[in-house]
Amino acid sequence: MESQSKRSVIALVFAAIAMFGFAFALVPLYDVFCDITGINGKTATTPTKVSDNVDRSRTVTVEFVAYINPNVKWQFTPQVTQVDVHPGETKIIKYDAKNLNSQPSIGQAVPSVTPGIAAKYFNKIECFCFNHQPLAAGEQAELPLVFYVDPDLPRDITVLTLAYTLYDVTPDVQPLPQLTEQENEVKNVEFL
């Protein structure tokens, strides 16, 4: 009986370790799967160059949507809800953001494209989503997006929706350490 209990305990411990390992590996595996299939709607996280080729034989409608995480006290809206573009044509649109907090906060917009397969054809030349957006209490800003839709976009896709979800990352950003007056003097002397 004792031998059977030991085997059960060992089996349960092994199962717990295996479940932890599977859960740990799930996120990177999911990211790889989404990169291969393009179904997640993730867009590039770095700027791209302007397109050299414009396909004037067709137009694609790009819709703009903004979501705000429930814990974020900001206003965040696109200035236009949709534009028609020729694939390869560079367009500029802006989002309006306002910090409704009584203290400074930092926002981060995370983009996604629907249909997910079209995400790899949506190219951002400049995007506020590449950086944190710090705003003082009550401050507002226009956040630019410069983009184009790749001419290789499949012809059966005529509408793309770009959705941004805004998150508050203020607690995640560590402030720079404050140096004492003496440390500042030492640092200034070192650079002379």
Side-chain angles (χ1 to χ4, degrees):
M1 184 76 164
E2 194 172 303
S3 174
Q4 187 177 11
S5 294
K6 278 185 179 180
R7 282 188 290 193
S8 294
V9 168
I10 290 171
L12 288 173
V13 168
F14 179 73
I17 291 170
M19 286 189 292
F20 176 77
F22 178 73
F24 185 76
L26 195 56
V27 171
L29 290 174
Y30 180 74
D31 285 342
V32 168
F33 175 76
C34 290
D35 285 344
I36 292 169
T37 62
I39 62 168
N40 192 26
K42 289 183 178 182
T43 63
T45 57
T46 57
T48 188
K49 295 179 182 180
V50 175
S51 175
D52 295 333
N53 181 22
V54 177
D55 180 357
R56 299 210 181 272
S57 69
R58 64 184 175 139
T59 59
V60 175
T61 300
V62 181
E63 301 172 332
F64 303 97
V65 180
Y67 299 105
I68 302 172
N69 186 288
N71 300 330
V72 181
K73 294 181 181 176
W74 282 36
Q75 289 177 345
F76 179 61
T77 55
Q79 290 182 353
V80 296
T81 57
Q82 74 178 42
V83 296
D84 291 329
V85 299
H86 296 291
E89 176 184 18
T90 300
K91 285 288 187 176
I92 301 171
I93 65 118
K94 295 179 182 176
Y95 278 69
D96 290 322
K98 182 175 183 181
N99 179 3
L100 302 176
N101 287 300
S102 59
Q103 55 193 353
S105 67
I106 301 171
Q108 177 68 55
V110 178
S112 66
V113 172
T114 305
I117 193 72
K120 64 183 176 183
Y121 300 100
F122 190 87
N123 297 285
K124 297 181 300 276
I125 298 166
E126 180 185 331
C127 183
F128 55 89
C129 62
F130 295 147
N131 303 301
H132 291 138
Q133 300 300 319
L135 290 180
E139 184 180 8
Q140 54 190 11
E142 284 188 337
L143 308 175
L145 166 65
V146 182
F147 72 94
Y148 70 91
V149 176
D150 193 297
D152 291 333
L153 177 74
R155 289 197 167 271
D156 62 329
I157 300 175
T158 58
V159 178
L160 303 177
T161 302
L162 174 65
Y164 284 102
T165 303
L166 183 71
Y167 295 93
D168 185 348
V169 294
T170 305
D172 297 340
V173 176
Q174 299 298 319
L176 294 173
Q178 297 297 316
L179 299 177
T180 66
E181 189 173 314
Q182 184 179 15
E183 289 171 325
N184 271 328
E185 287 175 13
V186 169
K187 192 168 185 141
N188 289 336
V189 169
E190 289 174 357
F191 288 109
L192 293 178

